[in-house]
Amino acid sequence: FLAIGRMVSAVARIVGTTVDVKGALERSADQQRTEVMKYTEMIGKRIVVFVDHLDRIPAADVSLVVKNLGRWGTFPSFTFVVAADRATLAKKLISVDGNLDDLERVVGVELPIPPVERSTLAAMIRSALVDLARENKLDPQPALALFDVDAGPGLAAITTLRDAKRLLNTLAASLPLYPDATLDDLVRQCLG
């Protein structure tokens, strides 16, 4: 959470005050809380911190982050938005702490994201493939057929937005490395 301290320091500097992050780390938890409360009150704005991919870090680190979120979440000026796969997060916390008590205490509102509809996923992938093909002067049609809503075999392998993002990022990185490859060939290799 040193990064949060740096962020508070940066915001404090913008509004014309200073924060001693190094000194704050040497203070007790109560002293740190008092100082953070003082400076965030001086700033007069809510601080929203986004934590993405919490489920992708090692289990011991997940536990530490959740405990720190619990601590920092008690500060009135702080709001945390956490994006994570709940099942993976829960599994990691149980492996370290043996329970989900901290998670249940920290998460005030949980908004599960529904699965993306097949037609929406296909449209998104197809649109991105057209853009990649145009950028690389390739014919997109054979690759587009792989993601036809009704009969596209590519949609069997790509079922989530995360899968689609990985595929598209891989293609964008691969296309310049294989100038003689077709978009269709690269997609098929990625789908393996």
Side-chain angles (χ1 to χ4, degrees):
F1 279 82
L2 184 58
I4 293 173
R6 286 189 197 120
M7 182 235 356
V8 171
S9 293
V11 172
R13 278 193 303 276
I14 290 169
V15 298
T17 186
T18 59
V19 177
D20 177 11
V21 174
K22 182 180 179 286
L25 293 174
E26 295 169 355
R27 291 182 192 69
S28 71
D30 289 339
Q31 290 170 325
Q32 287 178 21
R33 179 179 173 77
T34 301
E35 187 168 359
V36 168
M37 295 291 288
K38 173 183 156 190
Y39 288 119
T40 54
E41 195 173 294
M42 289 171 64
I43 294 167
K45 304 248 187 233
R46 177 164 296 286
I47 298 170
V48 180
V49 179
F50 292 88
V51 180
D52 196 8
H53 304 301
L54 182 56
D55 56 311
R56 293 189 190 178
I57 65 175
D61 293 339
V62 167
S63 178
L64 180 64
V65 169
V66 170
K67 287 177 190 326
N68 280 312
L69 285 173
R71 181 168 167 239
W72 282 83
T74 63
F75 293 18
S77 298
F78 283 81
T79 299
F80 290 89
V81 177
V82 178
D85 178 277
R86 190 182 207 302
T88 303
L89 191 60
K91 184 177 175 182
K92 287 182 177 188
L93 286 170
I94 288 172
S95 74
V96 172
D97 294 335
N99 63 59
L100 297 176
D101 294 347
D102 288 333
L103 182 62
E104 301 302 331
R105 185 176 46 79
V106 168
V107 176
V109 176
E110 188 170 345
L111 301 172
I113 298 174
V116 65
E117 290 183 23
R118 184 177 169 93
S119 60
T120 303
L121 187 62
M124 185 194 86
I125 294 169
R126 291 170 57 89
S127 174
L129 288 174
V130 168
D131 291 345
L132 284 171
R134 184 180 315 118
E135 186 177 307
N136 291 280
K137 299 177 178 62
L138 298 170
D139 176 16
Q141 292 308 315
L144 293 178
L146 294 170
F147 296 97
D148 177 72
V149 174
D150 298 320
L155 285 179
I158 306 297
T159 59
T160 67
L161 290 174
R162 183 181 280 178
D163 293 342
K165 179 182 169 187
R166 287 179 181 155
L167 170 68
L168 296 168
N169 286 343
T170 301
L171 290 172
S174 300
L175 282 167
L177 300 174
Y178 299 98
D180 296 332
T182 66
L183 185 57
D184 179 51
D185 287 340
L186 286 175
V187 170
R188 287 180 187 278
Q189 286 180 20
C190 289
L191 297 177

